[in-house]
Amino acid sequence: MAGWLHKSLQSSNILIFESGDEHRVLEPVLTGFAFSRLNSASEISEHSSSNPQLDIYRHPEAMGEPSESFTDVKDIYALGTILLEIGEWRSLSRLVEKIVTVGKGDIALSQLAKIRPFLLEDGAKGGLATLRFRMGDIYALVTKMMLCGEIPQPFAAAQGSGQIVFPNLLDVAVRELSR
């Protein structure tokens, strides 16, 4: 995102307005930049909240006391959770209620750490269980790719010299979703 890390991406930070009488949706507006910073190792920002309603969108490595620097992969993970919400037409808190009750108040980090494996599960009870059926193969693959934080090998672009170039994760996601 233009050299910045948002650090608090969640569906409640995306505002969508209608355009007058036409009932046409305008471009979404991204808000909630309280923890954002430049994407640079030398930049420091405050640690984000410990609110379970918000923490369910966070990459497991971005919860609790930071053990490593916040990177764009963690923002991309949060975008993956938002794509999952859109595809399932349910809030993330409803999607993960099988493993953690968000409205319960304080939730142990060990419980929150179970969210990512649950979301990546394709089985009958996992977060991705019905996404392919609801949204199609490409949408499901891109969502899983964003939640994993890795570009699958088939998306690596071969150059004329036989050299393999690994493109940016977000660029691949946008390219695949626009097909």
Side-chain angles (χ1 to χ4, degrees), residues 97-116:
E97 66 186 1
K98 294 175 186 173
I99 59 166
V100 63
T101 306
V102 177
K104 172 173 106 168
D106 285 346
I107 300 172
L109 286 177
S110 60
Q111 281 299 109
L112 291 172
K114 294 178 183 178
I115 292 174
R116 184 175 186 227

Side-chain angles (χ1 to χ4, degrees), residues 6-172:
H6 189 280
K7 296 186 70 177
S8 188
L9 289 172
Q10 55 198 292
S11 54
S12 63
N13 283 340
I14 301 172
L15 305 178
I16 301 174
F17 301 98
E18 285 188 43
S19 170
D21 296 332
E22 300 172 19
H23 297 293
R24 185 176 57 105
V25 176
L26 297 176
E27 289 187 26
V29 176
L30 185 60
T31 64
F33 289 93
F35 301 108
S36 64
R37 66 170 174 80
L38 282 172
N39 188 5
S40 167
S42 64
E43 291 291 325
I44 299 173
S45 60
E46 292 182 36
H47 182 53
S48 46
S49 88
S50 59
N51 177 344
Q53 294 279 347
L54 308 178
D55 285 343
I56 61 173
Y57 292 90
R58 296 190 205 296
H59 191 282
E61 294 170 0
M63 294 181 201
E65 290 301 314
S67 58
E68 60 183 58
S69 184
F70 194 94
T71 63
D72 59 345
V73 170
K74 294 174 179 84
D75 267 348
I76 291 170
Y77 171 85
L79 283 173
T81 65
I82 294 167
L83 284 180
L84 187 58
E85 285 181 307
I86 292 168
E88 292 291 337
W89 202 246
R90 291 188 295 167
S91 68
L92 190 59
S93 60
R94 292 278 318 276
L95 290 168
V96 300
E97 66 186 1
K98 294 175 186 173
I99 59 166
V100 63
T101 306
V102 177
K104 172 173 106 168
D106 285 346
I107 300 172
L109 286 177
S110 60
Q111 281 299 109
L112 291 172
K114 294 178 183 178
I115 292 174
R116 184 175 186 227
F118 170 77
L119 293 179
L120 288 169
E121 191 177 312
D122 283 326
K125 296 179 182 176
L128 293 173
T130 61
L131 191 62
R132 182 168 275 113
F133 169 74
R134 293 179 191 273
M135 299 299 289
D137 291 337
I138 292 173
Y139 191 95
L141 180 66
V142 167
T143 302
K144 186 172 186 173
M145 180 179 69
M146 293 176 90
L147 292 172
C148 286
E150 298 172 354
I151 302 170
Q153 186 62 34
F155 291 118
Q159 295 292 314
S161 65
Q163 190 177 23
I164 295 180
V165 174
F166 293 96
N168 176 292
L169 181 61
L170 194 54
D171 290 341
V172 171

